[in-house]
Amino acid sequence: MRTATAHTATTAPGAPASAAPSDGGGALAPLVGDAQEFLSRHWTRTPLLRRAVSPDAFAGLLSLEALTDLLTSRALRLPHVRLVRDGQQVAESQYTGVRRIGHGTVTDAIDPGKVLSHFGLGATLVLDAVELLVPAVGSLCERLAASLSCPVDAVAFLTPPDRKGLAAHIDDEDVFVLQLSGSKQWTVHEQLRPVPLTPGALPASALGPVALTPLLEPGDVLYVPRGTPHHAESTGGHSLHLSLAARRPTLSALTADTLLAALRASGPDRDLNSLDPAREIGALVHARASGALARLDTVPVPVADGAGREGDALAGVLRGLAALAVPGTRYAAGGGIGLTYEEDGAVVADFGRFSARFPSSARGLLERLAAGGAVGAQEFTTDGAAGTGTLSLLLVRGALRLAS
């Protein structure tokens, strides 16, 4: 019997129209129902709960029996298995041992007896990369990846009765939770804004408003977008669920991949000591950044809602880099800037997602940026205030943009 409050979150006000992919791989609909409604209303933004069509909906994926076979095969090694108790990782040495394999010896073999002992003491068993171990799970991940245009991997969580494995946390991927056996009480909060891209535990004060409190039972599916705080614990008996993690690219990853491709295609690297900085370095930076921008269309960017905005942001970054060597180029702040002044005259600029310390000679240009003005690229090299390298970093991290 379901006793927990459960509802689906609605689209956040002002959410853009969807540019999400269609369910070409056919894997979304069995998980979320109406695939297009999911892609337009929930994908990347709001959690979704879908009750089971049948308790046996995922019977062919991973059973307790199959998990037992994997653990007792004595073939598993790190890092396939993790143990977590009361929010803390159990030291790997406490559930691994030495085993001879053929003519060699490994020291990180999973010891089923030690795993069972920790499980009995309340540790949650985490099995990573299930798609590599179970063909049915691997097939589902491949089809879901085709539907979402991004890699998908699988992690299984087996939690003993009335226990919480992981502390309240956020993930850096979008997760589809498939309840396979037993039940688990979840608390899902609203997605944090701006969406954080670094996974980790969160204090209670940082969790924000609650969006969903579902009790998941076999066949239920819960979608949790990345950057959405959540925590869960088994109720009554054990809980076995499978998390399908969709790893959408970030702006930093796309920028790095695109620029690296451009650099590799532009020929051999150059020794800066052999170049005239005032003439040749600027020309090379311009040529290589322009080449990266020209190759932007070849980057495998997902067309899901949000990916277009990431692509636009990437194009803006690359245009800013390409313009570094163009005389008269001016830059403005990419968002709000908070300034604090230190006793030695240095200025600390808080750009929201990160802070940077500048010498006193940069005070004027930073105050102009904070006030909504624009500065010329050449000003960042005055008296060593920042330099082209720092300017490039500020562009890539979104602190600055080309002034319109």
Side-chain angles (χ1 to χ4, degrees), residues 93-268:
S93 60
Q94 294 189 27
Y95 56 90
T96 57
V98 177
R99 183 169 302 142
R100 186 171 182 80
I101 299 180
H103 295 288
T105 301
V106 299
T107 59
D108 60 356
I110 303 302
D111 186 317
K114 293 179 180 179
V115 169
L116 178 60
S117 176
H118 284 285
F119 185 75
L121 293 173
T124 289
L125 166 67
V126 184
L127 183 65
D128 285 312
V130 182
E131 74 280 1
L132 302 180
L133 303 171
V134 181
V137 175
S139 176
L140 175 58
C141 287
E142 289 179 1
R143 290 184 285 113
L144 189 58
S147 294
L148 298 174
S149 300
C150 63
V152 176
D153 54 40
V155 184
F157 294 82
L158 178 61
T159 303
D162 296 316
R163 286 286 183 165
K164 177 185 293 186
L166 302 181
H169 67 283
I170 55 172
D171 295 314
D172 59 349
E173 66 267 345
D174 297 73
V175 177
F176 298 83
V177 178
L178 283 56
Q179 188 69 28
L180 305 180
S181 177
S183 61
K184 207 162 199 178
Q185 178 68 56
W186 285 73
T187 301
V188 182
H189 298 257
E190 294 181 3
Q191 188 181 49
L192 300 179
R193 298 286 178 165
V195 178
L197 299 178
T198 302
L202 295 174
S205 59
L207 298 179
V210 172
L212 297 172
T213 58
L215 176 68
L216 292 193
E217 296 179 333
D220 289 342
V221 177
L222 176 65
Y223 166 69
V224 182
R226 72 181 176 192
T228 300
H230 58 278
H231 51 96
E233 64 180 296
S234 57
T235 59
H238 76 281
S239 168
L240 173 63
H241 77 261
L242 189 68
S243 287
L244 305 180
R247 302 187 182 278
R248 292 184 289 123
T250 63
L251 174 60
S252 294
L254 289 175
T255 301
D257 290 346
T258 305
L259 289 176
L260 183 59
L263 289 170
R264 287 174 173 169
S266 63

Side-chain angles (χ1 to χ4, degrees), residues 321-339:
L321 292 173
L324 283 173
V326 179
T329 300
R330 297 181 67 77
Y331 296 92
I337 303 178
L339 301 179

